[in-house]
Amino acid sequence: MKGVKYDTFPFTSLEMKYLLFLVHLVLGVSAQTWCGKNYMSTSPIVPPGGLFPIPATSKTPLLALRCSPAIRPYLTEDANSDSDDIAILIDTPVTFSHIANAAPITLPRLDELASTSVSVTVTVNGKKLTSGNVPLNATKHALPFKLSGLKPQAKAFDISCTATLQSQKFEASGSLSFLPQPPADIGSVTKMDLRTGALLARPATGEPGPFAPVFPIGFYTDFGGYLANDFTIPAQLKAQGCVTMSLIKVFQNVVDKSWVHPIPSFDNLTALDIVLDKMQEAGLYLMYDMRLNYMNATAVTEQVNRIKSRPNLLLWYTGDEPDGTSDPLDATLKSSNLIQSLDGGDGLGGAGYHPVSLVLNCENFHYTEYASGADILLQDTYMIGNNVTFSSQWGTVCTPDYGDCGCDNCKGAFEDISTRMDEFRDRNFINGWERTKAVWTVPQGFGNDTSLLEGWISSAFRSSRYKSDSYSFLKRFPTGQEFVVESVVGINHGGLGVVSWDDPTTPDIKASASLLAQSLTKMTPFILSPSATFRQITINRVDIGLWTVGGQTLVLATNMNYLSVSISLQSLGLPSPQPSVTQVLDSGARTDPARSHLLFDSVGTGAFIVRN
């Protein structure tokens, strides 16, 4: 963190991130724009373009038929399974917008929509795989099938789905990955449950065990000045509830199964191997980061071939804010295809043995092009301690067409996170990606970003975005409770992973992150359940997610106000008073003695299991 040292290493992780951006600049990426916008006071206002197109409306109803497998990829060992995981998911949204694959549908009466079904047949290579009747406006309607009729192969199977309603016919296509058992040079497999978007993995230790849902929660973690200097850190992170590490040298956490995201560069391969070994011993998953050279096919090939044998590898990470630096629009897709071709897939869009992820920084700049290259999309919206409308760095205003305030098109409130999450979700639905891509959130875990490093940057790169001696978008760190608010807002709006920039961070944030991570073990049976029904409600700026499984509901609620708020259970459609309430997260929230209201402190958060 800038201006704050929590250990004895030469550069903080935030400083390292600036250096990483400079690598882009050295390689010739435009230094005068961010998210396609000019941001220097001497530059003109030029609309950046790249806006996500708003679908045209229709006066008559449209059916947007979609189909996808329940799990990606299947393995040879799944061929004789009678699990309900072996199914094709059919979605039949009826819409009045020209979204992907929407076609006109004639209905006798719109008020009879819920009672109308279409007859669906799914084929592979012209042969029937499964069929059934599917109600209109259904989501994730499962049609079981037998894998035993297919032969495992690297190339994904093309599936064709046909729906008929009287004389009307509708068609959709999808992709089914059915891979051979991993060869000796593949150390693990990570599946995606397309019913929920959750990752499924075996134990990170490499010990035998069934595939189980993983909820990543943790930090991008400094490698060279932190992990590489103290090999006991993975065990410490595991004890704090970390599930995954992202080496950016970066780190990340995951519930029940921990993980780390180290931040590159990994110039000391001996230290990297030791860190990865220690992560595996501690049961931490790895999110392997190739941000520095994901566009270099030779470098990607070398890294994938070196890392893919790791038993704790959870997923790959390529572009770090490629939309901000205006990387080539096809860069992320090319990289993803190459990675999958090296990792057991066909390199043509079918799955390999591990999914690919990236983070987008811009609110609305070539979303489809950059997002096409990932299975997991992260968004990093940083608004705490930030003037999001005027750049103190550049002395300019920030608008949809101009300026850089460190939080693109933001309003400076927690709702910036929910807005970004909702926009990603809606765009994925419009593109027909709602089953095949998941969204994670990156809460702000840093601040006080002023450093002498900028003086060096100023002299070395006079034309760069980072030339000033007083680069200071973010004036302060979030508090621990604000960190939890950021994280929970992301979860309540569809986030299936929480990966904060960055570790090391303040003790307050670390303690709150650990509190959230350890509580998630009680929440993930609801959040990651394929049978859960979900609602999101916002009342008086309290953001509330409700997951119902069987006779119980998880209420995960966070107060975005800097004052106390009370919410009645009745307003959430829940029985009141409750005979009993089980609280599984307390970050400044509680129930009243009558168990009829939830009480929140300023920026307080709580999770409660109640009866329906």
Side-chain angles (χ1 to χ4, degrees):
M1 263 50 54
K2 294 206 160 227
V4 179
K5 301 291 183 182
Y6 294 100
D7 212 320
T8 56
F9 48 95
F11 297 124
T12 66
S13 294
L14 183 58
E15 292 168 340
M16 180 59 72
K17 190 166 189 178
Y18 297 156
L19 290 174
L20 299 183
F21 276 121
L22 292 178
V23 172
H24 283 285
L25 303 180
V26 171
L27 293 175
V29 178
S30 171
Q32 304 299 324
T33 66
W34 190 258
C35 298
K37 304 175 189 179
N38 290 331
Y39 56 79
M40 300 179 71
S41 59
T42 56
S43 301
I45 298 175
V46 179
L51 298 179
F52 188 86
I54 299 173
T57 58
S58 172
K59 294 182 179 179
T60 57
L62 309 169
L63 172 62
L65 180 68
R66 280 103 190 257
C67 57
S68 62
I71 301 293
R72 187 179 65 193
Y74 292 112
L75 301 176
T76 302
E77 66 187 43
D78 300 319
N80 297 317
S81 171
D82 57 1
S83 167
D84 57 8
D85 294 350
I86 314 299
I88 300 297
L89 304 179
I90 306 298
D91 291 272
T92 55
V94 175
T95 177
F96 287 84
S97 296
H98 287 277
I99 62 177
N101 207 45
I105 182 171
T106 301
L107 300 168
R109 292 176 54 181
L110 280 177
D111 58 1
E112 295 179 353
L113 193 64
S115 60
T116 303
S117 294
V118 292
S119 176
V120 176
T121 300
V122 182
T123 61
V124 171
N125 297 331
K127 296 182 179 179
K128 180 179 172 181
L129 190 66
T130 184
S131 63
N133 292 326
V134 181
L136 290 178
N137 265 346
T139 59
K140 302 181 292 185
H141 187 97
L143 297 179
F145 73 99
K146 294 292 185 181
L147 272 171
S148 55
L150 302 174
K151 183 178 180 180
Q153 60 184 38
K155 187 178 187 303
F157 291 94
D158 294 325
I159 58 176
S160 299
C161 304
T162 302
T164 57
L165 176 63
Q166 298 172 346
S167 62
Q168 302 173 81
K169 183 177 180 181
F170 307 88
E171 296 183 340
S173 61
S175 174
L176 188 156
S177 291
F178 181 28
L179 299 179
Q181 289 301 112
D185 64 344
I186 298 291
S188 66
V189 178
T190 301
K191 300 181 179 184
M192 284 187 69
D193 187 336
L194 302 190
R195 297 166 298 182
T196 62
L199 300 185
L200 305 174
R202 290 191 167 107
T205 58
E207 297 173 353
F211 283 95
V214 176
F215 191 108
I217 175 171
F219 294 84
Y220 292 86
T221 302
D222 182 80
F223 173 74
Y226 185 49
L227 294 174
N229 289 348
D230 184 351
F231 298 137
T232 69
I233 290 174
Q236 298 174 34
L237 291 172
K238 176 66 175 181
Q240 294 165 1
C242 180
V243 182
T244 314
M245 290 178 65
S246 176
L247 303 177
I248 355 174
K249 311 172 185 178
V250 183
F251 252 86
Q252 297 172 345
N253 293 3
V254 185
V255 173
D256 289 334
K257 324 234 171 226
S258 303
W259 73 310
V260 175
H261 182 149
I263 310 170
S265 62
F266 306 124
D267 48 312
N268 186 336
L269 294 181
T270 300
L272 177 61
D273 284 339
I274 294 173
V275 168
L276 298 185
D277 287 344
K278 294 296 183 181
M279 286 172 54
Q280 181 180 336
E281 290 175 13
L284 288 168
Y285 290 106
L286 169 67
M287 183 176 189
Y288 187 77
D289 192 322
M290 293 181 278
R291 70 180 63 199
L292 293 184
N293 41 33
Y294 83 95
M295 292 184 282
N296 182 321
T298 300
V300 168
T301 299
E302 187 277 328
Q303 291 176 88
V304 171
N305 286 337
R306 176 162 46 83
I307 296 296
K308 65 184 182 182
S309 62
R310 288 278 171 183
N312 59 338
L313 175 64
L314 188 69
L315 72 166
W316 307 104
Y317 183 93
T318 58
D320 189 76
E321 303 177 343
D323 50 347
T325 49
S326 296
D327 289 357
L329 296 181
D330 61 353
T332 63
L333 182 58
K334 284 183 175 179
S335 181
S336 177
N337 285 343
L338 173 59
I339 291 168
Q340 298 293 23
S341 73
L342 299 167
D343 191 29
D346 57 16
L348 301 172
Y353 290 111
H354 304 87
V356 176
S357 65
L358 58 80
V359 68
L360 298 179
N361 181 256
C362 306
E363 183 267 331
N364 192 356
F365 187 61
H366 291 292
Y367 177 86
T368 296
E369 291 87 345
Y370 290 119
S372 65
D375 308 294
I376 309 293
L377 300 168
L378 295 87
Q379 63 78 28
D380 54 357
T381 305
Y382 306 139
M383 84 299 296
I384 292 178
N386 189 2
N387 184 342
V388 299
T389 60
F390 186 85
S391 173
S392 57
Q393 164 72 355
W394 303 109
T396 62
V397 296
C398 291
T399 72
D401 293 333
Y402 183 69
D404 174 18
C405 285
C407 191
D408 190 43
N409 295 343
C410 293
K411 299 183 183 301
F414 290 114
E415 285 88 348
D416 289 325
I417 299 170
S418 56
T419 296
R420 193 72 56 91
M421 294 293 295
D422 291 349
E423 287 176 340
F424 280 24
R425 176 202 63 208
D426 293 345
R427 292 169 189 167
N428 287 346
F429 176 73
I430 290 168
N431 284 342
W433 293 346
E434 70 271 26
R435 293 280 157 257
T436 56
K437 296 187 187 296
V439 181
W440 294 3
T441 190
V442 182
Q444 177 186 334
F446 66 102
N448 289 358
D449 56 341
T450 56
S451 171
L452 294 177
L453 177 65
E454 268 59 56
W456 175 81
I457 293 174
S458 175
S459 62
F461 298 92
R462 291 292 179 185
S463 64
S464 85
R465 180 178 183 237
Y466 303 102
K467 72 176 184 179
S468 172
D469 292 352
S470 58
Y471 181 82
S472 53
F473 287 144
L474 307 173
K475 305 296 185 184
R476 69 176 180 86
F477 284 84
T479 66
Q481 284 191 313
E482 288 174 324
F483 176 88
V484 175
V485 174
E486 295 179 276
S487 302
V488 170
V489 168
I491 294 171
N492 284 350
H493 289 263
L496 295 171
V498 176
V499 188
S500 174
W501 186 279
D502 61 346
D503 186 27
T505 185
T506 66
D508 190 23
I509 289 176
K510 204 63 175 290
S512 290
S514 180
L515 176 70
L516 177 60
Q518 292 173 0
S519 71
L520 274 169
T521 59
K522 301 291 181 63
M523 293 191 276
T524 50
F526 292 86
I527 297 173
L528 303 183
S529 171
S531 63
T533 57
F534 173 71
R535 293 182 293 137
Q536 188 281 326
I537 305 171
T538 301
I539 302 175
N540 296 334
R541 295 195 72 226
V542 176
D543 193 300
I544 306 157
L546 301 102
W547 291 262
T548 298
V549 178
Q552 293 184 312
T553 295
L554 169 68
V555 181
L556 178 58
T558 188
N559 181 16
M560 298 183 289
N561 300 284
Y562 288 89
L563 51 84
S564 299
V565 177
S566 172
I567 300 293
S568 71
L569 292 175
Q570 189 174 21
S571 68
L572 304 180
L574 296 170
S576 178
Q578 283 279 318
S580 64
V581 175
T582 301
Q583 184 165 2
V584 296
L585 170 64
D586 179 3
S587 179
R590 59 202 175 278
T591 58
D592 68 338
R595 297 185 298 277
S596 61
H597 289 77
L598 303 179
L599 309 178
F600 299 89
D601 298 337
S602 168
V603 291
T605 302
F608 311 85
I609 298 174
V610 302
R611 294 184 182 179
N612 296 344

